């Protein structure tokens, strides 16, 4: 009874092993996906946090506390501070506040911090900063806010103490303040104990909570302790933060608008890749022999397949976006003409991608496996699944070579940034270049293989 089962099992295993493309992709696809997910979640990376979220920083304050805060932000590995810009002729100049809006609109960075000239003012007690943002990615926005607050609240007690010390010095004069600090240190020592010299040093530096020398807890870890947490609560009430959302403030359904482009691209790639493998199916069915017997050339067959992919792709994208409006309230009809333009270029790039797969794959199984691997990889590193800043820097750079990245940027420009056609042109040109290069390689491959023989 078991003999037939063993025979069939051996037959299946033999066929599986002989299918080298299928065998390779069976193990290669999960290996690549595991590696990508490992990079996202920081496995085996020295730094498990986000890598290099760009944030523009303008420090217009001459107060030492502002410089100290900027230095603290530079130590945050999750941030990449941008403090200067190209001024032409191989020169750079410091960023100014008036530069920030345009750079955020152009996606050079999504967040900017301004430490104004009156960061510390003699007219009020407290600190003031301003934050410009483009919360295109909600996770990224929360991460940046968390890092800024962490760096700020860790330094506020000392910064504010420094401000109070300076105001006291201005009011009393240097000599009278020194005498005051000496008397205060002696009074504190007499009533609460401690080293009078150390207490005086802290009074003079404004380090009232001892933030420069964190206490050691019972478990050996160093932190600000309960006093630091209470200090954060107190000082968060006297910190004035002006915020301005530069891009996306008029988006109707921000949560759905953020993700619809990535999903649309992934479905489009799968659909067009399946369509391209139809070339191989038609070859196996002997259809080309009959077509080439008539007034049809190989060029006609390939171009018609490419145009078919573009038309199907545009229709599919438009239907997907209209579904997003119907189901989740994404404002699609208000931007439909530009959305169709971006969809046209994205569909052309995807159709060329499908043609390339059909040109290099020898069998339908190999084409499907290759398409699955490339689509999942491009979607993962191109930003369709995860924010790019979660990836290592080299993957962030590699993402710019994927059509998923540029297509999503085009959709974002239309639906989130709500820009006009002129600002879309660079993105469209990149998609057109990708289409031209990929299609050229595909045609070259078609000229070398035996698809039509």
């Amino acid at each position: 009874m078991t003999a037939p089962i063993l025979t069939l099992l051996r037959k299946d295993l033999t066929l599986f092993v002989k299918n080298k493309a299928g065998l390779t992709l069976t193990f290669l696809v999960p290996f690549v996906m595991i590696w990508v997910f490992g990079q996202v979640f920081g496995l085996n990376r020295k730094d498990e946090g986000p890598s290099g979220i760009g944030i523009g920083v303008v420090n217009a304050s001459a107060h030492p506390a502002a410089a100290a805060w900027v230095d603290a932000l530079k130590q945050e590995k999750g941030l990449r501070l941008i403090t200067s810009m190209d001024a032409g002729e191989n020169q750079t100049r410091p960023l100014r506040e008036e530069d920030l809006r345009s750079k955020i609109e152009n996606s050079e960075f999504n967040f900017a911090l301004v430490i104004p000239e009156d960061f510390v003012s003699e007219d009020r007690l407290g600190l003031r900063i301003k934050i410009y943002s483009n919360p295109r990615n909600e996770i990224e926005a929360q991460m940046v806010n968390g890092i800024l607050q962490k760096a700020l609240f860790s330094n506020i007690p000392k910064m504010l103490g420094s401000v109070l010390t300076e105001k006291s010095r201005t009011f009393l004069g240097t000599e009278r303040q020194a005498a005051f600090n000496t008397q205060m240190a002696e009074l504190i020592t007499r009533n609460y104990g401690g080293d009078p010299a150390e207490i005086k040093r802290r009074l003079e530096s404004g380090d009232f909570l001892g933030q420069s020398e964190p206490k050691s807890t019972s478990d050996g870890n160093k932190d600000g302790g309960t006093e630091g947490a209470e200090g954060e609560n107190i000082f968060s009430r006297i910190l004035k933060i002006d915020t301005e959302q530069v891009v996306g403030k008029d988006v109707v359904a921000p949560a759905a608008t953020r993700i619809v482009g990535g999903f649309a691209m992934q479905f489009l790639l799968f659909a067009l890749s399946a369509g391209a493998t139809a070339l191989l199916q038609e070859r196996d069915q002997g259809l080309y022999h009959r077509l080439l017997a008539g007034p049809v050339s190989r060029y006609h067959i390939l171009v018609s397949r490419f145009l078919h992919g573009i038309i199907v792709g545009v229709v599919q994208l438009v239907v997907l976006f209209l579904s997003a409006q119907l189901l989740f309230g994404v404002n699609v009809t208000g931007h439909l003409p530009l959305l169709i333009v971006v969809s046209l270029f994205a569909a052309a790039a995807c159709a060329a991608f499908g043609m390339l797969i059909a040109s290099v794959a020898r069998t339908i199984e190999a084409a499907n496996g290759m398409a699955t691997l490339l689509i999942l990889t491009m979607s993962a590193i191109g930003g369709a699944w995860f924010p790019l800043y979660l990836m290592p820097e080299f993957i962030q750079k590699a993402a710019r070579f994927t059509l998923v990245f540029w297509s999503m940027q085009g959709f974002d420009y239309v639906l989130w940034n709500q820009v006009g056609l002129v600002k879309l042109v660079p993105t469209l040109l990149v998609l057109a270049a990708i289409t031209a290069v990929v299609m050229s390689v595909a045609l070259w491959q078609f000229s070398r293989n035996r698809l039509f023989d």
Side-chain angles (χ1 to χ4, degrees):
M1 181 176 178
T2 58
I5 296 177
L6 292 176
T7 302
L8 292 172
L9 177 61
R10 186 173 59 188
K11 181 264 298 177
D12 291 337
L13 290 175
T14 302
L15 292 176
F16 177 71
V17 173
K18 284 185 177 180
N19 185 357
K20 297 189 182 306
L23 180 64
T24 303
L25 292 171
T26 298
F27 299 102
L28 188 58
V29 171
F31 177 83
V32 171
M33 290 300 104
I34 289 172
W35 178 78
V36 170
F37 277 91
Q39 295 300 315
V40 171
F41 293 106
L43 302 180
N44 293 332
R45 284 169 54 185
K46 293 181 180 178
D47 174 21
E48 296 184 358
S51 56
I53 302 176
I55 176 171
V57 175
V58 176
N59 182 10
S61 173
H63 197 280
W69 187 32
V70 173
D71 289 339
L73 289 175
K74 289 179 180 176
Q75 303 305 316
E76 295 290 342
K77 295 181 180 179
L79 295 181
R80 177 171 53 85
L81 269 59
I82 303 167
T83 57
S84 61
M85 61 176 290
D86 185 13
E89 300 179 351
N90 297 323
Q91 300 294 319
T92 60
R93 67 167 176 80
L95 274 177
R96 304 183 188 122
E97 185 172 357
E98 56 266 28
D99 301 323
L100 300 179
R101 289 187 184 84
S102 62
K103 291 193 170 296
I104 290 177
E105 289 171 351
N106 294 330
S107 300
E108 294 186 35
F109 45 76
N110 289 330
F111 301 91
L113 167 68
V114 176
I115 305 176
E117 190 175 358
D118 61 344
F119 173 62
V120 177
S121 173
E122 295 182 355
D123 301 330
R124 54 177 164 74
L125 178 62
L127 308 173
R128 175 175 171 263
I129 61 172
K130 186 168 186 177
I131 296 177
Y132 294 88
S133 69
N134 171 17
R136 163 67 185 85
N137 187 295
E138 190 173 9
I139 299 176
E140 183 184 50
Q142 293 176 355
M143 189 72 71
V144 170
N145 288 333
I147 294 175
L148 287 178
Q149 290 180 16
K150 172 192 168 190
L152 183 60
F153 291 151
S154 298
N155 289 274
I156 276 183
K158 187 175 181 180
M159 289 193 290
L160 201 57
S162 176
V163 172
L164 292 173
T165 301
E166 283 194 15
K167 286 183 176 294
S168 172
R169 187 180 294 114
T170 303
F171 182 76
L172 295 175
T174 304
E175 293 184 1
R176 290 181 61 192
Q177 188 199 35
F180 174 80
N181 287 338
T182 301
Q183 293 173 8
M184 283 295 296
E186 292 174 351
L187 181 63
I188 292 171
T189 302
R190 190 162 52 249
N191 288 278
Y192 300 102
D195 182 1
E198 175 62 16
I199 295 173
K200 183 181 178 183
R201 185 193 67 78
R202 289 184 175 180
L203 289 173
E204 290 176 341
S205 65
D207 187 13
F208 301 142
L209 298 180
Q211 294 255 312
S212 60
E213 296 177 5
K215 291 182 178 180
S216 296
T217 58
S218 58
D219 59 0
N221 295 325
K222 289 185 175 183
D223 59 24
T226 305
E227 291 180 355
E230 292 176 352
E232 290 180 8
N233 292 332
I234 294 171
F235 290 110
S236 63
R237 298 173 186 170
I238 57 176
L239 173 67
K240 179 175 175 52
I241 303 178
D242 299 322
T243 60
E244 178 180 334
Q245 183 176 342
V246 179
V247 180
K249 52 190 172 186
D250 297 325
V251 173
V252 178
T257 304
R258 288 185 177 104
I259 63 174
V260 64
F263 283 107
M265 277 307 300
Q266 189 167 318
F267 287 125
L268 176 66
L269 279 167
F270 274 115
L272 294 187
S273 298
T277 56
L279 280 169
L280 301 175
Q281 290 177 328
E282 292 171 355
R283 176 202 63 186
D284 296 342
Q285 295 167 355
L287 180 62
Y288 298 138
H289 289 166
R290 296 193 290 272
L291 289 175
L292 293 174
V296 175
S297 68
R298 298 179 178 186
Y299 173 79
H300 294 150
I301 295 174
L302 293 176
V303 171
S304 65
R305 176 62 63 180
F306 176 62
L307 295 177
H308 168 267
I310 294 176
I311 294 172
V312 171
V314 171
V315 173
Q316 184 186 27
L317 283 173
V318 172
V319 170
L320 282 171
F321 283 118
L322 290 175
S323 300
Q325 174 169 314
L326 179 65
L327 298 174
F328 306 111
V330 177
N331 181 13
V332 173
T333 52
H335 312 285
L336 192 56
L338 285 180
L339 203 56
I340 292 176
V341 173
V342 177
S343 298
L344 178 64
F345 281 81
C350 292
F353 168 77
M355 297 290 286
L356 177 62
I357 290 177
S359 70
V360 298
R362 296 184 177 180
T363 64
I364 296 174
E365 292 78 11
N368 288 331
M370 194 180 303
T372 301
L373 174 63
L374 292 177
I375 290 171
L376 294 181
T377 303
M378 284 197 298
S379 298
I381 70 172
W385 292 356
F386 314 105
L388 282 179
Y389 73 89
L390 291 175
M391 307 283 190
E393 190 170 352
F394 75 94
I395 292 185
Q396 295 183 33
K397 293 180 179 177
R400 295 181 173 274
F401 292 94
T402 67
L403 61 91
V404 173
F405 173 86
W406 292 103
S407 299
M408 286 184 58
Q409 180 166 291
F411 296 136
D412 285 345
Y413 277 170
V414 174
L415 295 176
W416 184 267
N417 294 41
Q418 301 179 359
V419 302
L421 180 60
V422 174
K423 286 204 171 185
L424 274 176
V425 169
T427 302
L428 298 179
L429 289 177
V430 173
L431 286 172
I434 291 175
T435 303
V437 171
V438 173
M439 196 61 193
S440 298
V441 175
L443 292 175
W444 176 65
Q445 281 291 330
F446 278 126
S447 69
R448 298 174 69 240
N449 63 25
R450 303 174 61 86
L451 179 68
F452 299 105
D453 294 340

